[in-house]
Amino acid sequence: MWPPEGQWLVAARVGAAVLPLATCALLATVRDSVTAATAVLVLVLLVVAAASTGDRIAGLLAAVSGGAWFDFFLTAPYQQFAIKGSDDVEATVLLVVIGLAVTEIALWGHRQQARAAGRSGYLEGVLGAARLVSEGDTPPATLVDVVADQITEVLGADDCRFEGGPVTDPRIAVLDHAGEITRGDHVVDVERVGMPSHDYVAIPVRRGSRVVGHFLLTASSRATYPTAEQRRVAVLLADQVASAVAAR
């Protein structure tokens, strides 16, 4: 499959910069029969294609490249970066502005799609854990391992393991049902500084008012910024093992 993973971004950006050039050069051969509005629409399509990759830089390159080469090839004086007619100035400015707007709209759509896919994945994880609990024949150790893997994925952590009993070390940060991470009396601003990267984070597992254990997470290899929703989902996942662990 081409381009190889890791090179597609370079290919998208090069294409975003080069395709408007090639398109404008081609349109210049028939400029007498092609209106400025038609050329602008063709170039906007290229911007949309670049923005659909989900890379803002590719979209911006396509918009700027389209505006520049539209000026060079399709506005008088030709083959110069100069514009004399007010209509041509307006068309060039509109091309760049529309291109930038289309890029931001496309990126917004990508973000919404990613959030929806993430919510669907979280729901599947919670339902899967609940199903294992309801079946009753899943060994507690297996259930704990499955939930630990799901918590790791939801929070972007490096490792997650289960420990019996409550958290006794005051240096360990705790993730509660509200989705807040606290260390002592201090609330960690996860949106700004991310998950604690050099300390453990514990998620207590409660059966009623009793803490029957906790999941212990580490996230030291990279900065992670899970949303409040992700953090609450992780707590909900941890709760799924309470009955099995208490029975064991």
Side-chain angles (χ1 to χ4, degrees):
M1 188 174 182
W2 194 92
E5 185 177 359
Q7 296 183 12
W8 73 268
L9 192 58
V10 175
R13 292 175 180 179
V14 170
V18 171
L19 284 177
L21 164 61
T23 301
C24 288
L26 180 61
L27 291 173
T29 63
V30 291
R31 68 167 68 96
D32 293 335
S33 57
V34 176
T35 65
T38 300
V40 167
L41 289 175
V42 171
L43 292 171
V44 167
L45 285 177
L46 296 180
V47 176
V48 172
S52 68
T53 63
D55 178 47
R56 176 179 279 105
I57 293 178
L60 295 178
L61 282 173
V64 174
S65 177
W69 295 118
F70 177 81
D71 170 19
F72 187 82
F73 285 107
L74 300 174
T75 64
Y78 300 118
Q79 298 185 0
Q80 296 181 38
F81 289 110
I83 306 175
K84 288 186 176 179
S86 60
D87 289 343
D88 290 336
V89 171
E90 182 180 342
T92 303
V93 171
L94 282 175
L95 171 60
V96 175
V97 171
I98 291 171
L100 297 177
V102 166
T103 297
E104 292 305 314
I105 291 171
L107 291 173
W108 178 84
H110 274 279
R111 289 193 294 269
Q112 295 303 311
Q113 184 179 20
R115 290 192 185 101
R119 291 190 184 99
S120 177
Y122 304 155
L123 180 60
E124 287 297 324
V126 173
L127 291 176
R131 185 168 56 251
L132 291 176
V133 172
S134 65
E135 289 173 354
D137 55 356
T138 303
T142 301
L143 177 61
V144 166
D145 289 342
V146 169
V147 170
D149 289 341
Q150 292 174 339
I151 292 174
T152 301
E153 182 175 353
V154 168
L155 296 180
D158 295 326
D159 182 60
C160 178
R161 68 178 188 272
F162 182 79
E163 299 283 345
V167 180
T168 57
D169 190 339
R171 296 172 298 177
I172 296 177
V174 177
L175 174 57
D176 60 25
H177 281 81
E180 291 186 339
I181 296 179
T182 57
R183 183 185 289 108
D185 297 329
H186 173 67
V187 177
V188 179
D189 188 353
V190 179
E191 283 78 10
R192 186 174 63 86
V193 302
M195 291 267 290
S197 57
H198 299 293
D199 298 300
Y200 288 110
V201 176
I203 306 177
V205 177
R206 301 178 184 276
R207 179 76 183 279
S209 60
R210 183 166 63 98
V211 177
V212 296
H214 59 277
F215 285 96
L216 208 55
L217 297 101
T218 55
S220 58
S221 66
R222 63 190 185 280
T224 60
Y225 300 83
T227 64
E229 181 183 47
Q230 288 173 291
R231 300 195 297 270
R232 288 193 295 267
V233 168
V235 175
L236 183 57
L237 282 166
D239 285 342
Q240 303 302 308
V241 307
S243 297
V245 171
R248 183 178 62 175

